Amino acid sequence: MSAAGALSSAFQEVVILERDVLPASIMSRAGVPQDRHPHLLLAGGLQALDSLFPGFAQDLAAAGAVPVNVFKDVQYERPDVGALPRRDCGTSLLCGSRPLIEHTLRRKVTAIANVKVQSQSRVTEIVPAATRPMVKFENDAGVGAAIEADLVVDASGRGAPTLGLFDALGWERPQETAVGVDISYTTAVLRPGRTSFDWLNLVTLPDPATSATAGLIIPLEGGRWFTSISHHGATNRPGTWEDYLAAARQLKTPAIYNAVYKLLPPGGLRHFVFDASRWRHFERLKRLPRGILPVADSLCRFNPVYGQGMTVAAREAKLLREILDRVAGEADPIEALQAGFMSEVGALLQAPWNMGVNADFAYPTTRGQRPERYEESRQFEAALFRAVVADPVVQRAFSDVVQLVEPFDLINSPDIRQRIEAHSLAQNA
Ligand SMILES: Cc1cc2nc3c(=O)[nH]c(=O)nc-3n(C[C@H](O)[C@H](O)[C@H](O)COP(=O)(O)OP(=O)(O)OC[C@H]3O[C@@H](n4cnc5c(N)ncnc54)[C@H](O)[C@@H]3O)c2cc1C
């Protein structure tokens, strides 16, 4: 949807083909099974959506999303340094369910006169063409239709239409970097109980050397709370609320257990298993099939525990908009758009990818190729967190980087580097 909004100013008509029946109200749907689990929209994503769709943040807040100041309202518990200081780092989130975020965005997108959402339209194939690719789709009754388009954006999550097109053309599929994490999520929606908390987000991380279980509580609209327990590389998962409480008791601190047992027990638990983060390196190819652009999860799927996917998708849409402005005068603006996007998207993906993958490889069960100079980066991370605790300037920089508001280079800027080193020296003195 964010890509459709970004493209709408430059194309006569934008059609979103969606296989689901889209609900008129705020509710889960089959095509996005992950929507029953917490979906944190990072500050960088909120800013990107608000710039693409002016008034988006205001609408999301008006629809019931809960404002959360980072880190004033966030209890973020790490195994190495304990809870991070509750300082105001200058950014705010709006916490709500994924259906709420999607509903608010869909209203913005469908208000654009030349964007049309066509539901119950499952894409079956992209037919290659020298000039304009054709997208074939069918409804639930199997009745087929096709649209020819100047540009086909594959935002299907798994990228199957684009990969199918590569196969049909006899092209080699792009190289892929995969990091196996086998994250198992167990989520409950809780209602207010006997107490209130002095935080709005609570995160408890494990020491990966001894445990693979993390916990989270975030608010959602309607005065409810999401709580999730995630296991890295684990096969067992809590099957009942009693099991869930037992797992919460095993976390590094009792904070989540102490909070959830005071809330009203859930109607049921929801589960999700995420096998691997996957970056398909379309950006390394010399060219893409004419008029085809894979975006968001189709291009790169992040480990969901870091809450990056929607934010990256929104930032990619913003990048598309910027490139569109630049290529308007080109002889072949479609090819220039494809090439321009692919030449810049790698830099956009690299920082969130590195942050997630570096954290994942601390768990012995993680599969795949460790990043180069991994031990060095772990040591740097340890020094960074000591400095985050001691120094408000470093904490703000960390906050901006992890929220994907600022590029990772901010952490490497001379001032921040110097501060991190100063705290390391003080620690070792
Ligand atoms: C458990 C879990 C928790 C997550 N938590 C977070 C979080 O906290 N923060 C965050 O930012 N991200 C989170 N994510 C990631 C986030 O869900 C995705 O990164 C994001 O939704 C990607 O958007 P997308 O458009 O690529 O795919 P999706 O949002 O999955 O959308 C794909 C759409 O394409 C439709 N579709 C698929 N195939 C076809 C077809 N053939 N024809 C027509 N329509 C089709 C689907 O119905 C769906 O509507 C989480 C993911 C999981 C699994």
Side-chain angles (χ1 to χ4, degrees):
M1 285 192 288
S2 46
L7 294 167
S8 62
S9 60
F11 290 84
Q12 212 173 359
E13 187 183 30
V14 180
V15 182
I16 301 178
L17 295 172
E18 168 57 54
R19 64 182 170 190
D20 271 358
V21 178
L22 293 169
S25 58
I26 299 160
M27 58 189 286
S28 293
R29 60 188 178 88
V32 275
Q34 72 268 33
D35 77 357
R36 293 162 177 269
H37 297 270
H39 265 68
L40 215 55
L41 181 60
L42 302 178
L46 185 60
Q47 289 175 8
L49 289 175
D50 204 50
S51 91
L52 286 167
F53 306 98
F56 172 80
Q58 206 182 348
D59 290 0
L60 191 58
V66 181
V68 175
N69 178 290
V70 182
F71 276 89
K72 196 153 79 62
D73 300 327
V74 180
Q75 175 93 359
Y76 190 88
E77 301 178 340
R78 289 185 52 87
D80 48 359
V81 294
L84 299 190
R86 301 273 294 273
R87 300 182 182 114
D88 176 353
C89 289
T91 47
S92 282
L93 309 173
L94 285 170
C95 286
S97 66
R98 157 77 187 229
L100 183 84
I101 297 168
E102 212 183 282
H103 184 79
T104 308
L105 186 55
R106 196 177 307 124
R107 286 179 71 141
K108 283 290 193 199
V109 176
T110 50
I112 303 171
N114 62 336
V115 178
K116 182 173 148 198
V117 180
Q118 195 164 316
S119 61
Q120 284 182 284
S121 301
R122 191 174 69 84
V123 172
T124 52
E125 188 186 358
I126 305 173
V127 182
T131 49
R132 304 173 86 216
M134 183 192 282
V135 182
K136 289 190 172 174
F137 56 98
E138 60 185 31
N139 69 13
D140 290 349
V143 178
I147 299 182
E148 221 183 60
D150 293 303
L151 181 68
V152 176
V153 175
D154 181 351
S156 64
R158 299 293 174 121
T162 300
L163 296 177
L165 174 63
F166 270 67
D167 296 345
L169 287 166
W171 288 23
E172 210 174 305
R173 289 185 174 194
Q175 293 167 348
E176 182 177 289
T177 307
V179 175
V181 287
D182 302 316
I183 298 277
S184 136
Y185 261 72
T186 303
T187 295
V189 175
L190 301 170
R191 290 175 192 284
R194 297 193 295 274
T195 191
S196 62
F197 309 117
D198 74 342
W199 41 257
L200 288 169
N201 280 13
L202 170 59
V203 179
T204 306
L205 299 178
D207 175 356
T210 56
S211 165
T213 310
L216 166 81
I217 303 181
I218 62 168
L220 68 160
E221 66 276 10
R224 295 164 301 159
W225 298 86
F226 257 138
T227 179
S228 277
I229 285 189
S230 58
H231 292 269
H232 233 279
T235 45
N236 59 336
R237 61 189 196 188
T240 63
W241 183 234
E242 287 66 39
D243 295 346
Y244 191 97
L245 289 176
R249 263 184 195 275
Q250 301 298 316
L251 292 170
K252 181 83 185 157
T253 81
I256 291 195
Y257 174 79
N258 289 342
V260 293
Y261 92 85
K262 290 177 183 159
L263 296 168
L264 296 182
L269 298 178
R270 289 111 179 228
H271 299 283
F272 195 99
V273 175
F274 178 93
D275 62 344
S277 307
R278 233 172 259 286
W279 184 345
R280 295 196 182 103
H281 295 286
F282 288 102
E283 80 286 356
R284 290 185 188 162
L285 301 176
K286 281 204 185 72
R287 66 191 171 105
L288 287 169
R290 167 90 199 163
I292 304 297
L293 207 58
V295 299
D297 278 17
S298 295
L299 174 59
C300 187
R301 255 182 118 204
F302 297 89
N303 180 343
V305 299
Y306 309 112
Q308 297 166 324
M310 293 187 300
T311 291
V312 169
R315 295 190 69 225
E316 285 176 15
K318 221 176 143 220
L319 175 64
L320 263 182
R321 159 82 48 98
E322 286 160 18
I323 294 172
L324 267 179
D325 290 344
R326 270 185 265 148
V327 301
E330 296 279 337
D332 185 344
I334 298 290
E335 198 183 288
L337 179 66
Q338 288 177 284
F341 181 78
M342 284 300 157
S343 74
E344 293 185 39
V345 77
L348 191 158
L349 298 172
Q350 197 70 59
W353 178 265
N354 288 353
M355 285 191 276
V357 162
N358 277 335
D360 286 334
F361 274 107
Y363 295 88
T365 50
T366 300
R367 291 172 279 114
Q369 179 92 35
R370 277 188 173 207
E372 278 174 29
R373 296 159 68 191
Y374 179 68
E375 283 312 322
E376 212 177 291
S377 75
R378 292 299 293 168
Q379 281 168 19
F380 177 71
E381 191 192 287
L384 168 67
F385 280 105
R386 287 195 295 271
V388 161
V389 171
D391 186 339
V393 176
V394 180
Q395 187 173 14
R396 182 182 273 250
F398 163 72
S399 171
D400 284 348
V401 166
V402 86
Q403 299 287 323
L404 305 181
V405 170
E406 293 288 343
F408 193 84
D409 285 351
L410 177 61
I411 298 282
N412 287 324
S413 65
D415 174 45
I416 302 295
R417 276 271 175 182
Q418 220 168 38
R419 285 170 182 271
I420 295 170
E421 276 158 29
H423 292 295
S424 261
L425 291 174
Q427 169 97 6
N428 295 331

